[in-house]
Structure formats: structure tokens, C-alpha cells
């Protein structure tokens, strides 16, 4: 018998109450939100529960939402896979825009080590307790985080572009 999303949701609510919310199905992946201060205990439960068995962390990444409320301007997204039942889930944890930080899950999944470092490197999200949180792809001297949406998409001072050729004006070429 396949692992139903209702079983996952009910077990999580039963064990964590309002620390897990906003359950929905998106593109064949059951998705929900976890309070950022509960991520380690929820992921440990998902991994160790005899029914759920989400034994593989497929991916971990960051997102920047600069237009959201201050407490939800960053997110860390985790994708987990139950190999036995071939079920995948997505977990989203929102973080404060002034101080985006969350506990590391390297104690649960060694594969998260590199993924957390990459997320730190590109978004500046701090993974508390990480064994070696430092830049992994960018230069150590770099002060900004390149995937944050803090910079204009284009240089307004450019003179070599004609907006008519890029569909940004109603004038004919």
C-alpha cells in the first residue's frame, strides 16, 4: 500500500501541532511549512518514523522574497524522499530578513553539509551549528550574496540598449 499524503499530514499534526502548517499538493510533491525552530526535530521524525521513512535528503536550497513581510523574506526549502514507497515531500521554512538563520541538519543528513554551505554562500542564510560554514564557490572576500534580490535587474545607465527591440515599449521599430 502506498504512503498517502493524509497519513503524512496526520502524523505530523499529531506530533507537532501548529509547528507544521499549510499542507498542499504541488506538482506531485506534497508540500508543507515547518516553523524554522523545529526543522531538526521534524526532519528527524520524518526520517525515523517506521511508517514515514523519509530516509534521503534530495536537496536543500534558499529563496529570497524581498517583498514579503520581514519575518518571511527568506526561505530554506528541503526535499526529502522515501525510497521504500517512492514518495517525495517538500518542506519550507521561512526566515527573518534581517537575520536569516536556521539550525543545521548535518547531524541528520551528511549530504546537507555542502548544500547548506552553498545556500549560505549565495543567500547569506546562517546554518547554526554547521561544522564549517564558509563560502564554497565564491571568494571569501566577497561581502554580498549574489542570489539575493537586492540589486536592480538592469543597469539604468546603459546606452547600448534600445527598449524597442526588447518589447518594452509600444512604439514600432
Amino acid at each position: 500500500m502506498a504512503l498517502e499524503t493524509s497519513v503524512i499530514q496526520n502524523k505530523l499534526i499529531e506530533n507537532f501541532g501548529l509547528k507544521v502548517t499549510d499542507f498542499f499538493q504541488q506538482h506531485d510533491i506534497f508540500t508543507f511549512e515547518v516553523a524554522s525552530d523545529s526543522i531538526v526535530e521534524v526532519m528527524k521524525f520524518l526520517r525515523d518514523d517506521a511508517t514515514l521513512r523519509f530516509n534521503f535528503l534530495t536537496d536543500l536550497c534558499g529563496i529570497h522574497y524581498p517583498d514579503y513581510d520581514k519575518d518571511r523574506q527568506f526561505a530554506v526549502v528541503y526535499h526529502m524522499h522515501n525510497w521504500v514507497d517512492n514518495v517525495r515531500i517538500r518542506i519550507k521554512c521561512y526566515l527573518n530578513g534581517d537575520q536569516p538563520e536556521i539550525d543545521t541538519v548535518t547531524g541528520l543528513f551528511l549530504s546537507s553539509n555542502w548544500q547548506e554551505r552553498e545556500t549560505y554562500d549565495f543567500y547569506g542564510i546562517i546554518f547554526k551549528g554547521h561544522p564549517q560554514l564558509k563560502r564554497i564557490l565564491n571568494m571569501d572576500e566577497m561581502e554580498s550574496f549574489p542570489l539575493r534580490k537586492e540589486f536592480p535587474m538592469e543597469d539604468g545607465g546603459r546606452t547600448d540598449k534600445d527598449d524597442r527591440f526588447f518589447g518594452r515599449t509600444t512604439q514600432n521599430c
Side-chain angles (χ1 to χ4, degrees), residues 37-156:
D37 60 352
S38 301
I39 190 60
V40 174
E41 63 180 325
V42 171
M43 286 181 74
K44 184 176 184 338
F45 176 77
L46 287 163
R47 183 192 69 184
D48 297 345
D49 183 81
T51 304
L52 301 180
R53 302 180 286 197
F54 286 96
N55 54 3
F56 185 69
L57 177 65
T58 307
D59 186 36
L60 174 164
C61 63
I63 304 174
H64 185 202
Y65 298 108
D67 297 330
Y68 281 25
D69 291 337
K70 186 60 78 177
D71 286 334
R72 297 174 68 83
Q73 285 187 348
F74 286 93
V76 176
V77 179
Y78 303 86
H79 290 96
M80 297 180 75
H81 189 183
N82 167 331
W83 287 340
V84 178
D85 300 299
N86 195 25
V87 176
R88 297 173 190 274
I89 58 173
R90 177 185 301 119
I91 304 167
K92 222 174 191 182
C93 293
Y94 287 94
L95 309 174
N96 182 282
D98 291 331
Q99 193 171 6
E101 57 183 36
I102 190 166
D103 290 328
T104 184
V105 294
T106 53
L108 300 174
F109 298 99
L110 292 176
S111 63
S112 68
N113 188 316
W114 193 91
Q115 296 169 3
E116 288 179 356
R117 285 179 64 189
E118 181 185 44
T119 303
Y120 163 72
D121 195 6
F122 286 104
Y123 291 94
I125 295 172
I126 304 295
F127 291 89
K128 299 181 292 186
H130 190 282
Q132 190 182 17
L133 191 63
K134 66 177 190 172
R135 291 200 181 263
I136 193 167
L137 297 169
N138 291 304
M139 300 175 298
D140 290 335
E141 301 79 28
M142 194 168 175
E143 294 180 10
S144 62
F145 300 100
L147 291 183
R148 285 188 179 187
K149 298 175 183 174
E150 299 174 327
F151 308 100
M153 291 291 285
E154 295 184 19
D155 180 359

